[in-house]
Amino acid sequence: MTTIFERVEAALGTISPAVNYAAAPYKGTLPNAFITHQLINSPAEQHADGEETERSYTVQLSLWDKAGIPSTTSVDAAMKAAGFHKGDVRQLPQDPQTHHYGLAVEFVYIESQE
Amino acid sequence: MRGELTFKGLTEWMEQLAEAGENIDDAVTELLGETQPFIAEELVSQLQKTSEEYTGETASTIQVSGVQQEGNYLFVEATVGGSDAPQATYKEYGTTRQEAEPFVRPTFRGHRLKNKLKEGMKAIMQRFGL
């Protein structure tokens, strides 16, 4: 069964031109532009006959770019194609050391047990 | 940083109260007033679950207002952090080098606060004999 992390990385892997991405926190030297992903919560949403039938996964993608506020266009398209729904978007404080601009974007994936 | 909560069932609850001739504003004010202390408690509880050693610094910036009204809109406002305490935002959303340790989102999206509100709604209904 595909995990939510594999699902996110598969989606980000389809972006062209390729982007740097990793599970948060990003290790090693920070590229000029990169994306981190993190599972925020994953509550069970529905039960039937004592069995879980639906669970939602909220994933935060943090887009970082030294050139300015990152664009979400290609990420939105890739995540939508992978079955995610876009949620809240929030600008993050600019990193005072690296000068990366940041944007946090939430995506929700609903997994149903058929 | 502000938290917001919406959930199913509130409209139906208010409709039942209205049909019974009860004052909806009073009932909602009572519900929010009784839930208000729990919001602050839950924010602190979620903060304590984060991996960082708990110092209480961010918790000291938590503020939950009394019940407020703007037109037909009744609410309590919960705020954390602010310009003098950016660590709350860093913790909630992460930084280039730090993963997020969310505590606001679990408070307002988790089941505990919703369950608390539902308990309050049920108690008010029972008190009105509904």
Side-chain angles (χ1 to χ4, degrees):
Chain A
M1 187 173 160
T2 308
T3 68
I4 193 66
F5 305 101
E6 291 167 338
R7 206 174 285 281
V8 170
E9 297 222 339
L12 296 176
T14 65
I15 296 174
S16 180
V19 292
N20 294 295
Y21 61 84
Y26 202 95
K27 302 284 198 315
T29 305
L30 299 181
N32 285 340
F34 66 98
I35 298 169
T36 58
H37 63 86
Q38 183 174 344
L39 179 63
I40 298 300
N41 62 351
S42 56
E45 299 287 359
Q46 202 170 71
H47 291 82
D49 300 327
E51 296 289 329
E52 178 186 320
T53 55
E54 190 176 280
R55 179 172 293 267
S56 71
Y57 296 87
T58 298
V59 173
Q60 176 181 319
L61 297 189
S62 296
L63 287 63
W64 298 99
D65 196 332
K66 284 187 178 178
I69 306 292
S71 164
T72 66
T73 308
S74 56
V75 169
D76 290 349
M79 295 297 280
K80 186 179 176 187
F84 288 83
H85 300 281
K86 191 175 181 181
D88 292 350
V89 180
R90 183 190 168 91
Q91 185 177 350
L92 301 173
Q94 186 181 19
D95 188 305
Q97 271 89 46
T98 68
H99 307 297
H100 283 89
Y101 294 88
L103 205 60
V105 188
E106 287 186 345
F107 289 94
V108 179
Y109 186 84
I110 307 290
E111 188 175 71
S112 297
Q113 313 291 332
E114 295 299 331
Chain B
M1 213 171 1
R2 294 170 57 173
E4 193 170 307
L5 168 71
T6 55
F7 66 102
K8 293 174 186 170
L10 192 57
T11 306
E12 290 82 352
W13 179 73
M14 289 192 293
E15 283 171 356
Q16 279 182 280
L17 286 171
E19 283 169 17
E22 304 295 343
N23 186 306
I24 295 175
D25 281 1
D26 288 350
V28 173
T29 299
E30 181 184 336
L31 175 66
L32 292 177
E34 286 179 359
T35 310
Q36 184 242 11
F38 182 81
I39 297 171
E41 287 169 20
E42 185 64 8
L43 281 165
V44 172
S45 168
Q46 292 291 341
L47 255 177
Q48 289 173 330
K49 289 180 190 168
T50 60
S51 64
E52 195 176 289
E53 191 177 332
Y54 182 74
T55 64
E57 188 182 351
T58 302
S60 69
T61 70
I62 294 171
Q63 292 184 326
V64 183
S65 74
V67 181
Q68 301 178 64
Q69 182 161 17
E70 286 179 10
N72 289 330
Y73 189 50
L74 287 158
F75 61 97
V76 295
E77 188 173 52
T79 60
V80 190
S83 58
D84 294 335
Q87 75 274 9
T89 301
Y90 298 153
K91 184 176 272 293
E92 181 71 22
Y93 292 97
T95 69
T96 54
R97 287 292 192 193
Q98 175 185 318
E99 62 189 308
E101 295 177 305
F103 62 99
V104 176
R105 287 174 281 182
T107 296
F108 287 91
R109 296 178 188 174
H111 293 302
R112 286 169 52 86
L113 180 53
K114 288 178 186 172
N115 288 343
K116 184 76 178 173
L117 283 162
K118 286 175 183 170
E119 281 173 21
M121 289 158 66
K122 191 175 172 184
I124 289 170
M125 294 293 265
Q126 283 175 341
R127 191 154 48 76
F128 288 138
L130 299 171

